[in-house]
Every structure is written in C-alpha cells, then in structure tokens.
Amino acid sequence: MSTTIETILARRSIREYAEAPVSKDDINTILECGRWAPSGLNNQPWKFIVIQNEDAIRKIAECTHYSKIVLQAKLLIAVYLDRENMYHHDKDVLAIGASIQNMLLACTDLKLGAVWLGEILKKSEQVDVILEVPESFELMAVLAIGHPVEKEHSSTRKYLEEITFLEKYGEKWTGEN
C-alpha cells in the first residue's frame, strides 16, 4: 500500500495535546500542503491565519463548546474563504475542504494530532473580530493542532455496502459486482 493511502487510513481526529510546541518547519509544511489543494480555475480561495499566542487561543476557546481542545492546542490555523477571490461559492468551499484535508493529512504524516473544528462557525463573527479579518473573509474552520497525548485513537466507518451503489441508487455495491 502507498504511504498516501496509509496516511489517509491512519488519520484520526486528535483532541488531546502534549505541552510541546509545533515547530516552524512543521507549520510551514502544513501550510504548504493546504496551499497545494486543488481549486476551480486554480483560484486558491483560501487564507490561513496561524495562531500561537496563548491570549488569542484563550479568546478563540471562548467561541466554542470545545474550549478544552482549543486550550490544549499549541497551534490553531483559522481557514477562511476569501470571497473577493472566489468564482463560485460552493465550488470554492469544496476546494477549502480539500485544503483542510491536506493539512490534516500532513499533520498525521508529521506525527502531530489535529482536529477540524466546525462548531466554531456558530460564533464566526466573534472569531472574525479577534483575528481582525476583513469583511470579505468567511470563516470555514479552525484546526487545533499539537503533539498528541500518547493513547490509543480508534475510529469506525460504515461498510462500503451501506454507502455505495452500482450504476444507480438501490443497486448495492458489493465490491464483487
């Protein structure tokens, strides 16, 4: 199996972090991977804000029910859609999803833990004020990143037969069709 597939299958949402900071080299690698995601017309509609300041992290933690996760993280990356550079909102949101996934996979490969925080979007206006973003920016997610606490991280998935169809809806995919 390729290392890409192994990384995809190994990725987990990590919600507990050790005290060690994330290195600048690792941060740059994560951002590079996000930057190289596909986007329609190669418009690259994303903007990233790297947050390491403890006071800023504390303020952002107040914007989510998952404050414990945010407070433990040594690094947050706020991911924004730059509406001034978009060409189609839905397609650009999908591109940003690919960018976020690239960053999460990079974290896995770098032996870092990360989780995609979407619930924070309920308080996006507060986050926007904290981060002093222009009105043309739309918050897509905040990634909480750090060195994972050593413990078993497991996850389950639905079987392919539950979510996949052959040729048309209703015809179950069995993997042997």
Side-chain angles (χ1 to χ4, degrees), residues 10-170:
R11 192 214 60 80
R12 299 288 178 272
S13 294
I14 305 299
R15 296 172 175 87
E16 294 180 71
Y17 311 103
E19 285 294 316
V22 177
S23 75
K24 296 285 186 216
D25 286 345
D26 285 351
I27 295 169
N28 283 329
T29 298
I30 294 163
L31 295 169
E32 279 292 322
C33 289
R35 179 171 80 107
W36 278 95
S39 62
L41 304 177
N42 194 29
N43 70 328
Q44 304 170 50
W46 41 72
K47 295 286 192 250
F48 310 123
I49 300 179
V50 175
I51 305 148
Q52 297 175 287
N53 177 279
E54 288 182 20
D55 187 50
I57 289 173
R58 184 185 46 73
K59 288 177 183 175
I60 290 172
E62 294 171 3
C63 299
T64 177
H65 291 284
Y66 301 105
S67 59
K68 181 179 175 185
I69 296 168
V70 172
L71 289 170
Q72 285 184 22
K74 294 301 173 193
L75 168 67
L76 302 177
I77 299 177
V79 182
Y80 279 89
L81 167 63
D82 181 356
R83 290 189 301 249
E84 286 185 355
N85 289 318
M86 71 179 192
Y87 84 101
H88 187 280
H89 186 271
D90 293 349
K91 291 178 184 179
D92 288 339
V93 168
L94 292 170
I96 287 175
S99 175
I100 291 168
Q101 180 70 351
N102 278 8
M103 289 190 280
L104 294 173
L105 292 171
C107 288
T108 299
D109 229 29
L110 294 167
K111 308 293 186 246
L112 294 169
V115 66
W116 176 337
L117 300 170
E119 181 270 344
I120 200 167
L121 297 178
K122 294 176 185 175
K123 302 275 180 88
S124 61
E125 290 178 10
Q126 287 176 256
V127 175
D128 293 350
V129 169
I130 294 165
L131 299 178
E132 300 179 17
V133 300
E135 286 185 28
S136 62
F137 281 23
E138 181 180 346
L139 184 64
M140 295 285 107
V142 173
L143 305 182
I145 301 168
H147 293 275
V149 168
E150 295 299 324
K151 69 181 213 179
E152 182 67 30
H153 300 283
S154 63
S155 185
T156 60
R157 292 291 184 268
K158 294 178 181 179
Y159 293 103
L160 285 176
E161 294 82 8
E162 295 179 76
I163 60 171
T164 309
F165 304 93
L166 178 65
E167 308 297 344
K168 62 182 179 179
Y169 181 80

